[in-house]
Amino acid sequence: MKKILLSLMAVSLFTNMVFAGGSITIAGSTTVLPIAQVTSEVFMDNNPGIDISVRGGGSSVGIASLIAGTCDIGDASRAIKDKEIAKAVDNGIQPKAHVVAMDGIAVIVHPSNGINKISKKDLKSIFTGKISDWSQVGGSGGKIVVMSRDSASGTYEAFMGLALDGSKTRSDSLLQASNQAVASVVSRTPGAIGYVGLGYVTSQVKSIPVNGIECTKATVLSGEYPLSRPLFMYTNGEPEGVVKEYMDFVKSAEGQKLAEEQGFVGLK
Amino acid sequence: MIDAIKFRNYKENTYKWIFTILAFSSLVFLVGIIIVLFKEGLPIFKEVNLFKFLFGKSWYPTYDPPEFGIFPLMLASFWVMIGATIVCVPLGIGSALYLHELASFKQRAFLKPLIEMLAGVPSIVYGFFGMVIVAPFIQKLFNIPVGLSLFTASMILGIMAVPTVCSITEDALSYVPKSFREASFAVGANRWQTLTKVIIPAAGSGISTAIILGMSRIVGETMTVLMVSGGAAIIPKSIFDPVRPMTATIAAEMGECAMGSKHFHALFAIGLILFLVTLFFNIIAEIISRRYRLKLGLGR
């Protein structure tokens, strides 16, 4: 019996030593989730012994867990609020923001569509159901077929926040399961309008400027384009140790390339 | 000598146990699935009452406050099922009758594997075909705003269910004893009369089973409807309206909803309803087919 106990202790000591590389807990925004997942997978492959666990939950959950000290990195698709900063300071936490990528959402129509620009106001009217015909926004007439993403997706959430000011999308909008599906259906439906991450705009669809500003990498990075926003990872003070190593990796050219593969706009 | 027998018994018993465990393992999976469906699905009814869940008309699971009305989703599944059944019943039963009654040996050897190959095509291929080729074609043909609709989904799903309906119908036809046919010919009935008055009624319950299992396949189909039905959670007013069946909702949203949230439980509750519906279909099919065996004197 003693022998078993002893060997168990030895094993547990040994495993502790193996994982002494450290562990990171990440929680928060479902929009940032894919970036966190992909970068942490590659980071763990490159640094065996470091263990990263990634959870979703939403931006508020991410910041709340950082304040509560239950995660090392809190993901958020919005900036931290004053109230949250006050609460963090009370808890002895100094949230530091790191922009890890930009989210840019392009508005796309069928290439044959005569419309060449749209205002943010008309865009909102179309997606909330106030406008249903192309002639009402300067097009050549015909029913507008509204393509949206599934209501659980990060792109939907971003679009609802940036373009619709939090209003509901019309109930007869066609919900597609992926950015590719939206682009593919819009490219085959003359009366369609949809939105996709900038990385998914193809030559088979027409991306139209919103409020006169075209959706390009440059306008998204400068924040000029109306449907763009920065995506954050928050740490407690300046990151140190493994957290710093990971944050440096996310901001490196390789990390930014991984973010772009997920449909975001990289900073480099 | 005795040792050898003992060893053989031992070996036999081992095999017996291995196969018993294998046979019962599917039961374990089934029970596991049922437990999980109830455990994860029922919590939503603490938040939303059952009546509002089943008959609520708006499905905005991520909006604040969320709305979990699955009536449009259930209606979508129902109409797609009806539409696809209208497509697959004539095609499936017609081809089974042709294969069984009219086809020459050569045609049969060629057609039967071909129809069965339809069943082997992955559902995502049907979905892709529907989305990229059929939907734009229908959109141009009828000059409607969009081709992804109840109509397209019914058509594609109907074709997908043809092999199920056809092969079970054919089995049912071949179970009709030869003596029935011979007796019919003996009293002077021609081929058509024998078919409509003797063979089809005798195989009737088998054919009903085929239709019900086909319907059950249609209701449970996921990938294809996700791609071709359009995905709008509305109560359809025409067959060219986009719809959002229950399976497509689960498939599209499960991946991106937070575990343990209300939305998560609501999706499981939809799964639970789907499970009960298909269970109901399968029980009906089983009852009908058992009766039919008895009727033909094939019962055990």
Side-chain angles (χ1 to χ4, degrees):
Chain A
M1 195 62 201
K2 251 188 189 162
K3 247 189 195 165
I4 297 174
L5 263 176
L6 266 175
S7 53
L8 265 178
M9 274 166 72
V11 166
S12 61
L13 255 173
F14 181 67
T15 47
N16 273 343
M17 269 158 62
V18 167
F19 289 111
S23 68
I24 307 174
T25 309
I26 305 176
S29 165
T30 48
T31 313
V32 190
L33 192 65
I35 301 178
Q37 271 170 338
V38 177
T39 51
S40 60
E41 271 162 31
V42 176
F43 187 74
M44 281 190 285
D45 281 347
N46 295 346
N47 302 279
I50 295 181
D51 190 36
I52 305 181
S53 79
V54 182
R55 275 183 287 131
S59 301
S60 305
V61 172
I63 292 171
S65 345
L66 184 77
I67 294 170
T70 54
C71 72
D72 303 300
I73 299 172
D75 295 342
S77 56
R78 59 168 171 82
I80 191 164
K81 293 174 187 160
D82 290 346
K83 244 205 244 159
E84 287 165 334
I85 293 178
K87 216 170 150 197
V89 171
D90 283 348
N91 273 16
I93 305 254
Q94 273 130 24
K96 181 168 183 351
H98 306 263
V99 175
V100 291
M102 293 292 286
D103 207 358
I105 300 170
V107 176
I108 54 170
V109 295
H110 192 265
S112 74
N113 197 321
I115 199 160
N116 282 318
K117 61 178 175 15
I118 197 157
S119 69
K120 204 180 148 195
K121 192 167 151 267
D122 284 347
L123 191 66
K124 184 179 171 185
S125 300
I126 289 174
F127 275 86
T128 51
K130 275 188 213 114
I131 291 180
S132 296
D133 201 285
W134 282 112
S135 61
Q136 287 167 280
V137 287
S140 52
K143 190 178 183 300
I144 302 179
V145 179
V146 176
M147 298 284 166
S148 182
R149 283 291 313 281
D150 278 303
S151 54
S153 82
T155 317
Y156 173 88
E157 186 205 2
F159 187 77
M160 199 170 87
L162 293 169
L164 310 183
D165 307 317
S167 311
K168 273 185 212 173
T169 46
R170 56 199 297 163
S171 61
D172 65 349
S173 55
L174 277 76
L175 305 187
Q176 300 297 324
S178 65
N179 275 299
Q180 283 101 331
V182 172
S184 158
V185 175
V186 168
S187 74
R188 289 184 180 82
T189 313
I193 186 167
Y195 58 87
V196 291
L198 178 55
Y200 294 95
V201 176
T202 62
S203 57
Q204 276 147 27
V205 292
K206 189 161 92 177
S207 162
I208 51 174
V210 179
N211 281 355
I213 295 158
E214 226 163 306
C215 182
T216 63
K217 212 178 150 175
T219 56
V220 168
L221 281 179
S222 69
E224 240 180 303
Y225 181 67
L227 307 182
S228 68
R229 62 176 181 178
L231 299 173
F232 299 99
M233 284 188 180
Y234 282 93
T235 56
N236 178 16
E238 272 303 326
E240 286 165 5
V242 280
V243 177
K244 181 176 188 306
E245 278 174 48
Y246 171 72
M247 289 308 307
D248 287 346
F249 174 73
V250 173
K251 291 179 197 166
S252 71
E254 195 189 349
Q256 290 300 305
K257 208 179 128 229
L258 291 170
E260 291 211 337
E261 280 167 15
Q262 298 299 312
F264 299 98
V265 180
L267 305 170
K268 292 198 177 159
Chain B
M1 182 67 189
I2 289 171
D3 272 1
I5 291 174
K6 248 190 188 165
F7 180 69
R8 206 164 64 202
N9 278 345
Y10 180 69
K11 219 166 115 183
E12 247 170 47
N13 270 328
T14 316
Y15 283 129
K16 200 180 133 194
W17 274 110
I18 290 174
F19 285 108
T20 311
I21 290 168
L22 288 178
F24 276 90
S25 61
S26 54
L27 188 70
V28 173
F29 294 136
L30 181 68
V31 171
I33 288 170
I34 294 172
I35 291 173
V36 170
L37 276 178
F38 274 94
K39 196 178 141 254
E40 301 291 354
L42 292 181
I44 189 65
F45 299 117
K46 274 187 241 155
E47 314 277 349
V48 190
N49 74 44
L50 182 65
F51 185 81
K52 260 199 180 150
F53 187 75
L54 291 178
F55 297 103
K57 288 194 182 101
S58 44
W59 174 255
Y60 283 100
T62 54
Y63 193 70
D64 192 29
E67 288 175 76
F68 298 107
I70 67 164
F71 192 62
L73 314 181
M74 289 200 301
L75 217 58
S77 286
F78 175 76
W79 284 120
V80 169
M81 183 187 78
I82 299 290
T85 307
I86 293 171
V87 174
C88 78
V89 164
L91 275 175
I93 295 180
S95 22
L97 285 175
Y98 180 79
L99 281 177
H100 194 255
E101 296 294 322
L102 298 170
S104 67
F105 183 76
K106 256 190 185 165
Q107 283 176 327
R108 210 178 122 83
F110 170 72
L111 272 176
K112 203 167 177 201
L114 218 65
I115 290 174
E116 273 156 15
M117 246 170 75
L118 269 183
V121 178
S123 58
I124 191 146
V125 175
Y126 278 104
F128 194 66
F129 177 72
M131 192 177 190
V132 175
I133 294 168
V134 181
F137 174 73
I138 287 177
Q139 184 250 324
K140 281 197 196 93
L141 185 68
F142 296 103
N143 197 22
I144 44 177
V146 65
L148 300 172
S149 61
L150 178 57
F151 180 78
T152 314
S154 301
M155 224 167 69
I156 308 264
L157 282 179
I159 290 165
M160 284 178 76
V162 164
T164 312
V165 177
C166 176
S167 66
I168 299 173
T169 303
E170 219 218 330
D171 284 347
L173 291 172
S174 64
Y175 282 145
V176 176
K178 230 180 173 180
S179 55
F180 280 37
R181 187 188 306 265
E182 283 160 358
S184 173
F185 286 143
V187 296
N190 63 23
R191 219 165 154 186
W192 176 248
Q193 288 165 329
T194 306
L195 185 65
T196 52
K197 301 258 161 69
V198 178
I199 310 283
I200 292 180
S205 36
I207 296 174
S208 327
T209 309
I211 295 171
I212 291 169
L213 289 180
M215 285 162 90
S216 153
R217 164 140 172 67
I218 294 162
V219 167
E221 177 50 48
T222 303
M223 208 57 220
T224 313
V225 284
L226 177 64
M227 293 172 83
V228 299
S229 65
I234 48 165
I235 293 169
K237 292 190 187 73
S238 103
I239 54 168
F240 294 118
D241 274 349
V243 291
R244 184 175 185 81
M246 296 193 277
T247 45
T249 308
I250 300 177
E253 294 172 17
M254 190 53 96
E256 300 190 79
C257 76
M259 247 181 104
S261 62
K262 282 184 210 172
H263 187 192
F264 180 83
H265 292 308
L267 292 178
F268 265 97
I270 297 177
L272 183 62
I273 289 166
L274 266 175
F275 173 75
L276 294 178
V277 169
T278 42
L279 183 72
F280 173 76
F281 278 137
N282 285 316
I283 289 172
I284 299 278
E286 184 62 34
I287 291 171
I288 293 175
S289 74
R290 194 164 293 171
R291 274 205 196 140
Y292 139 87
R293 274 192 222 121
L294 293 176
K295 193 167 135 197
L296 293 186
L298 299 170
R300 275 193 267 175

Coordinates of all heavy atoms in Angstrom, one line a residue, chain B residues 205-269:
Chain B
S205 N -49.6 -2.7 -46.7 CA -49.0 -2.2 -45.5 C -47.5 -2.1 -45.6 O -46.9 -1.2 -45.0 CB -49.4 -3.1 -44.3 OG -49.5 -4.4 -44.7
G206 N -46.9 -3.0 -46.4 CA -45.4 -2.8 -46.7 C -45.1 -1.5 -47.4 O -44.1 -0.8 -47.0
I207 N -46.0 -1.2 -48.3 CA -45.8 0.1 -49.0 C -46.0 1.3 -48.1 O -45.2 2.3 -48.1 CB -46.7 0.2 -50.2 CG1 -46.4 -0.9 -51.2 CG2 -46.6 1.5 -50.9 CD1 -47.3 -1.1 -52.4
S208 N -47.0 1.2 -47.2 CA -47.1 2.3 -46.2 C -45.9 2.4 -45.3 O -45.5 3.5 -45.0 CB -48.3 2.0 -45.3 OG -49.3 1.3 -45.9
T209 N -45.3 1.3 -44.9 CA -44.1 1.3 -44.1 C -43.0 2.1 -44.9 O -42.3 2.9 -44.3 CB -43.6 -0.1 -43.8 OG1 -44.7 -0.8 -43.3 CG2 -42.5 -0.1 -42.8
A210 N -42.9 1.7 -46.2 CA -41.9 2.4 -47.0 C -42.1 3.9 -47.0 O -41.1 4.7 -46.8 CB -42.0 1.9 -48.4
I211 N -43.4 4.3 -47.1 CA -43.6 5.8 -47.2 C -43.3 6.4 -45.8 O -42.6 7.5 -45.8 CB -45.1 6.0 -47.5 CG1 -45.4 5.5 -49.0 CG2 -45.4 7.5 -47.4 CD1 -46.8 5.5 -49.4
I212 N -43.7 5.7 -44.8 CA -43.4 6.3 -43.4 C -41.9 6.4 -43.1 O -41.4 7.4 -42.6 CB -44.2 5.5 -42.3 CG1 -45.7 5.8 -42.5 CG2 -43.7 6.0 -41.0 CD1 -46.5 4.9 -41.7
L213 N -41.2 5.4 -43.5 CA -39.7 5.4 -43.3 C -39.1 6.5 -44.2 O -38.1 7.2 -43.7 CB -39.1 4.1 -43.5 CG -39.4 3.0 -42.4 CD1 -38.8 1.7 -42.8 CD2 -39.0 3.5 -41.0
G214 N -39.6 6.6 -45.4 CA -39.2 7.7 -46.2 C -39.4 9.1 -45.6 O -38.5 9.9 -45.6
M215 N -40.6 9.3 -45.0 CA -40.9 10.5 -44.3 C -40.0 10.8 -43.2 O -39.5 11.9 -42.9 CB -42.4 10.5 -43.9 CG -43.4 10.7 -45.0 SD -45.0 10.2 -44.5 CE -45.7 11.7 -43.9
S216 N -39.7 9.7 -42.4 CA -38.9 9.8 -41.3 C -37.5 10.2 -41.7 O -36.8 11.0 -41.0 CB -38.9 8.5 -40.5 OG -37.8 8.3 -39.8
R217 N -37.0 9.7 -42.8 CA -35.7 10.1 -43.3 C -35.7 11.6 -43.7 O -34.7 12.3 -43.5 CB -35.4 9.2 -44.6 CG -34.3 9.7 -45.5 CD -33.4 8.6 -45.9 NE -32.4 9.0 -46.9 CZ -31.4 9.8 -46.7 NH1 -31.3 10.3 -45.5 NH2 -30.5 10.1 -47.6
I218 N -36.8 12.0 -44.3 CA -36.9 13.4 -44.8 C -36.9 14.4 -43.6 O -36.1 15.4 -43.5 CB -38.2 13.7 -45.6 CG1 -38.1 12.9 -46.9 CG2 -38.4 15.1 -45.9 CD1 -39.5 12.7 -47.5
V219 N -37.6 14.0 -42.5 CA -37.7 14.9 -41.3 C -36.3 15.0 -40.7 O -35.9 16.1 -40.2 CB -38.7 14.4 -40.3 CG1 -38.6 15.1 -39.0 CG2 -40.1 14.6 -40.9
G220 N -35.6 13.9 -40.7 CA -34.3 13.9 -40.0 C -33.1 14.5 -40.8 O -32.1 14.7 -40.3
E221 N -33.4 14.7 -42.1 CA -32.3 15.1 -42.9 C -31.8 16.6 -42.6 O -32.6 17.4 -42.3 CB -32.7 15.1 -44.4 CG -31.7 15.6 -45.4 CD -30.3 15.0 -45.2 OE1 -30.2 13.8 -45.0 OE2 -29.4 15.7 -45.1
T222 N -30.5 16.8 -42.5 CA -30.0 18.0 -42.0 C -29.2 18.9 -42.9 O -29.6 20.0 -43.3 CB -29.1 17.7 -40.8 OG1 -29.8 17.0 -39.8 CG2 -28.6 19.0 -40.1
M223 N -28.1 18.3 -43.5 CA -27.2 19.1 -44.2 C -27.8 19.7 -45.5 O -27.6 20.8 -45.8 CB -26.0 18.1 -44.6 CG -24.7 18.9 -44.8 SD -24.3 19.7 -43.3 CE -23.7 21.2 -44.1
T224 N -28.6 18.9 -46.2 CA -29.3 19.3 -47.4 C -30.2 20.5 -47.1 O -30.2 21.5 -47.8 CB -30.0 18.2 -48.1 OG1 -29.2 17.1 -48.1 CG2 -30.4 18.5 -49.5
V225 N -31.1 20.3 -46.1 CA -32.0 21.4 -45.8 C -31.3 22.7 -45.4 O -31.7 23.8 -45.7 CB -33.1 21.0 -44.8 CG1 -34.2 20.1 -45.4 CG2 -32.6 20.5 -43.6
L226 N -30.2 22.5 -44.6 CA -29.5 23.6 -44.2 C -29.0 24.4 -45.4 O -29.1 25.7 -45.4 CB -28.3 23.2 -43.4 CG -27.3 24.2 -42.9 CD1 -28.0 25.2 -41.9 CD2 -26.1 23.6 -42.2
M227 N -28.6 23.7 -46.5 CA -28.1 24.4 -47.6 C -29.1 25.0 -48.6 O -28.9 26.0 -49.2 CB -27.1 23.5 -48.3 CG -25.9 23.3 -47.5 SD -24.8 22.0 -48.2 CE -23.9 23.0 -49.4
V228 N -30.3 24.2 -48.7 CA -31.2 24.7 -49.8 C -32.5 25.3 -49.3 O -33.3 25.8 -50.2 CB -31.5 23.5 -50.8 CG1 -30.3 23.0 -51.5 CG2 -32.3 22.4 -50.1
S229 N -32.8 25.2 -48.0 CA -34.1 25.7 -47.6 C -34.2 27.2 -47.4 O -35.2 27.8 -47.3 CB -34.6 25.0 -46.4 OG -33.8 25.3 -45.3
G230 N -33.0 27.9 -47.4 CA -33.0 29.3 -47.3 C -32.8 29.8 -45.9 O -32.0 30.8 -45.7
G231 N -33.4 29.2 -44.9 CA -33.1 29.5 -43.5 C -33.8 30.7 -42.9 O -33.3 31.3 -42.0
A232 N -34.9 31.1 -43.4 CA -35.6 32.2 -42.8 C -36.7 31.7 -41.9 O -37.5 30.9 -42.3 CB -36.3 33.1 -43.8
A233 N -36.6 32.1 -40.6 CA -37.6 31.5 -39.6 C -38.9 32.3 -39.7 O -39.3 33.0 -38.8 CB -37.0 31.6 -38.2
I234 N -39.6 32.1 -40.8 CA -41.0 32.7 -41.0 C -42.0 31.6 -41.2 O -41.6 30.5 -41.6 CB -41.0 33.7 -42.2 CG1 -40.4 33.0 -43.4 CG2 -40.3 35.0 -41.8 CD1 -40.7 33.8 -44.7
I235 N -43.3 32.0 -41.1 CA -44.3 31.0 -41.4 C -44.6 31.2 -42.9 O -44.9 32.3 -43.3 CB -45.6 31.4 -40.6 CG1 -45.3 31.0 -39.1 CG2 -46.8 30.6 -41.1 CD1 -46.3 31.5 -38.1
P236 N -44.2 30.2 -43.7 CA -44.3 30.4 -45.2 C -45.7 30.6 -45.7 O -46.7 30.0 -45.2 CB -43.7 29.0 -45.7 CG -43.9 28.1 -44.6 CD -43.9 28.8 -43.3
K237 N -45.8 31.6 -46.6 CA -47.1 31.9 -47.2 C -47.2 31.3 -48.6 O -48.3 31.2 -49.1 CB -47.3 33.4 -47.3 CG -47.4 34.1 -45.9 CD -47.8 35.5 -46.0 CE -47.8 36.2 -44.7 NZ -46.4 36.5 -44.2
S238 N -46.1 31.0 -49.2 CA -46.2 30.3 -50.5 C -45.1 29.3 -50.6 O -44.2 29.3 -49.7 CB -45.9 31.4 -51.6 OG -44.6 31.3 -52.2
I239 N -45.2 28.4 -51.6 CA -44.1 27.3 -51.6 C -42.8 27.9 -52.1 O -41.8 27.2 -52.0 CB -44.6 26.2 -52.6 CG1 -44.9 26.7 -53.9 CG2 -45.7 25.3 -52.0 CD1 -45.0 25.6 -55.0
F240 N -42.8 29.1 -52.5 CA -41.5 29.7 -52.9 C -40.8 30.5 -51.8 O -39.9 31.3 -52.0 CB -41.6 30.5 -54.2 CG -42.0 29.6 -55.4 CD1 -43.2 29.8 -56.1 CD2 -41.1 28.6 -55.8 CE1 -43.5 29.0 -57.1 CE2 -41.5 27.8 -56.8 CZ -42.7 28.0 -57.5
D241 N -41.4 30.5 -50.6 CA -40.8 31.2 -49.5 C -39.7 30.4 -48.9 O -39.7 29.2 -48.9 CB -41.9 31.4 -48.4 CG -42.7 32.7 -48.6 OD1 -42.3 33.5 -49.5 OD2 -43.7 32.9 -48.0
P242 N -38.6 31.1 -48.4 CA -37.6 30.4 -47.7 C -38.1 29.9 -46.3 O -38.9 30.6 -45.7 CB -36.5 31.4 -47.5 CG -37.1 32.7 -47.6 CD -38.3 32.5 -48.5
V243 N -37.6 28.8 -45.9 CA -38.0 28.3 -44.6 C -36.8 27.8 -43.8 O -35.7 27.7 -44.3 CB -39.0 27.1 -44.7 CG1 -40.3 27.5 -45.3 CG2 -38.4 26.0 -45.6
R244 N -37.0 27.5 -42.5 CA -35.9 27.1 -41.7 C -36.4 25.9 -40.8 O -36.9 26.0 -39.7 CB -35.6 28.2 -40.7 CG -34.4 28.0 -39.9 CD -34.1 29.3 -39.1 NE -32.9 29.1 -38.3 CZ -31.6 29.3 -38.8 NH1 -31.5 29.5 -40.1 NH2 -30.6 29.1 -38.0
P245 N -36.2 24.7 -41.3 CA -36.6 23.5 -40.6 C -35.8 23.3 -39.3 O -34.7 23.9 -39.1 CB -36.3 22.3 -41.6 CG -36.2 22.9 -42.9 CD -35.7 24.3 -42.7
M246 N -36.3 22.5 -38.4 CA -35.7 22.3 -37.1 C -34.3 21.8 -37.2 O -33.4 22.2 -36.5 CB -36.6 21.3 -36.3 CG -37.9 21.8 -36.0 SD -38.8 20.9 -34.7 CE -39.4 19.5 -35.7
T247 N -34.1 20.8 -38.0 CA -32.7 20.2 -38.1 C -31.7 21.2 -38.5 O -30.6 21.3 -38.0 CB -32.7 19.0 -39.1 OG1 -33.4 19.4 -40.3 CG2 -33.4 17.8 -38.6
A248 N -32.1 22.0 -39.5 CA -31.1 23.0 -40.0 C -30.8 24.0 -38.9 O -29.6 24.5 -38.8 CB -31.8 23.8 -41.2
T249 N -31.8 24.4 -38.1 CA -31.5 25.3 -37.0 C -30.5 24.8 -36.0 O -29.6 25.5 -35.6 CB -32.9 25.6 -36.2 OG1 -33.8 25.9 -37.2 CG2 -32.7 26.6 -35.2
I250 N -30.7 23.5 -35.7 CA -29.7 22.9 -34.7 C -28.3 22.9 -35.3 O -27.3 23.3 -34.7 CB -30.1 21.4 -34.3 CG1 -31.5 21.5 -33.7 CG2 -29.1 20.8 -33.4 CD1 -32.0 20.1 -33.4
A251 N -28.2 22.4 -36.6 CA -26.9 22.3 -37.2 C -26.2 23.6 -37.3 O -25.0 23.7 -37.1 CB -27.1 21.7 -38.6
A252 N -27.0 24.7 -37.7 CA -26.4 26.0 -37.9 C -26.0 26.6 -36.6 O -25.0 27.3 -36.6 CB -27.3 26.9 -38.7
E253 N -26.7 26.4 -35.5 CA -26.5 27.3 -34.4 C -25.7 26.6 -33.2 O -25.1 27.2 -32.4 CB -27.9 27.8 -33.8 CG -28.5 28.7 -34.8 CD -29.9 29.1 -34.5 OE1 -30.3 29.0 -33.3 OE2 -30.6 29.6 -35.4
M254 N -25.8 25.2 -33.2 CA -25.1 24.5 -32.1 C -23.7 24.9 -32.0 O -23.1 25.0 -30.9 CB -25.3 23.0 -32.3 CG -24.9 22.2 -31.1 SD -25.7 22.8 -29.6 CE -27.1 21.7 -29.5
G255 N -23.0 25.0 -33.1 CA -21.5 25.2 -33.1 C -21.1 26.5 -32.5 O -20.1 26.6 -31.9
E256 N -22.0 27.5 -32.5 CA -21.6 28.8 -32.1 C -22.3 29.3 -30.8 O -22.1 30.5 -30.5 CB -21.8 29.8 -33.2 CG -20.9 29.4 -34.4 CD -20.8 30.4 -35.5 OE1 -20.1 31.4 -35.3 OE2 -21.5 30.3 -36.5
C257 N -23.2 28.5 -30.2 CA -23.8 29.0 -29.0 C -23.0 28.6 -27.8 O -22.4 27.6 -27.8 CB -25.3 28.6 -28.9 SG -25.5 26.9 -28.5
A258 N -23.1 29.4 -26.8 CA -22.3 29.1 -25.6 C -22.9 27.9 -24.8 O -24.1 27.8 -24.7 CB -22.3 30.3 -24.7
M259 N -22.0 27.0 -24.4 CA -22.5 25.8 -23.7 C -23.2 26.1 -22.5 O -22.8 27.0 -21.7 CB -21.3 24.9 -23.4 CG -21.3 23.6 -24.2 SD -20.0 22.6 -23.8 CE -20.7 21.4 -22.7
G260 N -24.4 25.5 -22.2 CA -25.1 25.7 -21.0 C -26.0 26.9 -21.0 O -26.7 27.2 -20.0
S261 N -26.0 27.7 -22.1 CA -26.8 28.9 -22.2 C -28.3 28.5 -22.5 O -28.5 27.3 -22.8 CB -26.3 29.8 -23.2 OG -26.4 29.2 -24.5
K262 N -29.2 29.4 -22.4 CA -30.6 29.1 -22.7 C -30.7 28.7 -24.2 O -31.5 27.8 -24.5 CB -31.4 30.4 -22.6 CG -31.7 30.8 -21.2 CD -32.6 32.0 -21.2 CE -32.4 32.9 -20.0 NZ -33.1 34.2 -20.1
H263 N -30.0 29.3 -25.0 CA -30.0 29.0 -26.5 C -29.6 27.5 -26.6 O -30.2 26.8 -27.4 CB -29.0 29.9 -27.2 CG -29.0 29.8 -28.7 ND1 -28.1 30.4 -29.4 CD2 -29.9 29.2 -29.5 CE1 -28.3 30.1 -30.7 NE2 -29.4 29.4 -30.8
F264 N -28.5 27.1 -25.9 CA -28.0 25.7 -26.0 C -29.1 24.7 -25.6 O -29.4 23.8 -26.3 CB -26.8 25.7 -25.0 CG -26.2 24.3 -24.9 CD1 -25.2 23.9 -25.9 CD2 -26.4 23.5 -23.9 CE1 -24.6 22.7 -25.7 CE2 -25.8 22.2 -23.7 CZ -24.9 21.9 -24.7
H265 N -29.8 25.1 -24.5 CA -30.9 24.2 -24.0 C -32.0 24.2 -25.0 O -32.7 23.1 -25.2 CB -31.3 24.6 -22.6 CG -30.3 24.4 -21.5 ND1 -29.7 23.1 -21.4 CD2 -29.8 25.2 -20.6 CE1 -28.8 23.2 -20.4 NE2 -28.8 24.5 -19.9
A266 N -32.3 25.3 -25.6 CA -33.4 25.4 -26.5 C -33.1 24.5 -27.7 O -34.0 23.8 -28.2 CB -33.7 26.8 -27.0
L267 N -31.9 24.5 -28.2 CA -31.5 23.7 -29.3 C -31.7 22.2 -29.0 O -32.2 21.4 -29.8 CB -30.1 23.9 -29.8 CG -29.9 25.3 -30.4 CD1 -28.4 25.5 -30.8 CD2 -30.8 25.5 -31.7
F268 N -31.3 21.8 -27.8 CA -31.5 20.4 -27.3 C -33.0 20.1 -27.3 O -33.4 19.0 -27.6 CB -30.8 20.2 -26.0 CG -29.4 19.6 -26.2 CD1 -28.3 20.4 -26.1 CD2 -29.3 18.2 -26.4 CE1 -27.0 19.9 -26.3 CE2 -28.0 17.7 -26.6 CZ -26.9 18.5 -26.5
A269 N -33.8 21.1 -26.8 CA -35.2 20.8 -26.7 C -35.8 20.5 -28.1 O -36.7 19.7 -28.3 CB -35.9 22.0 -26.1

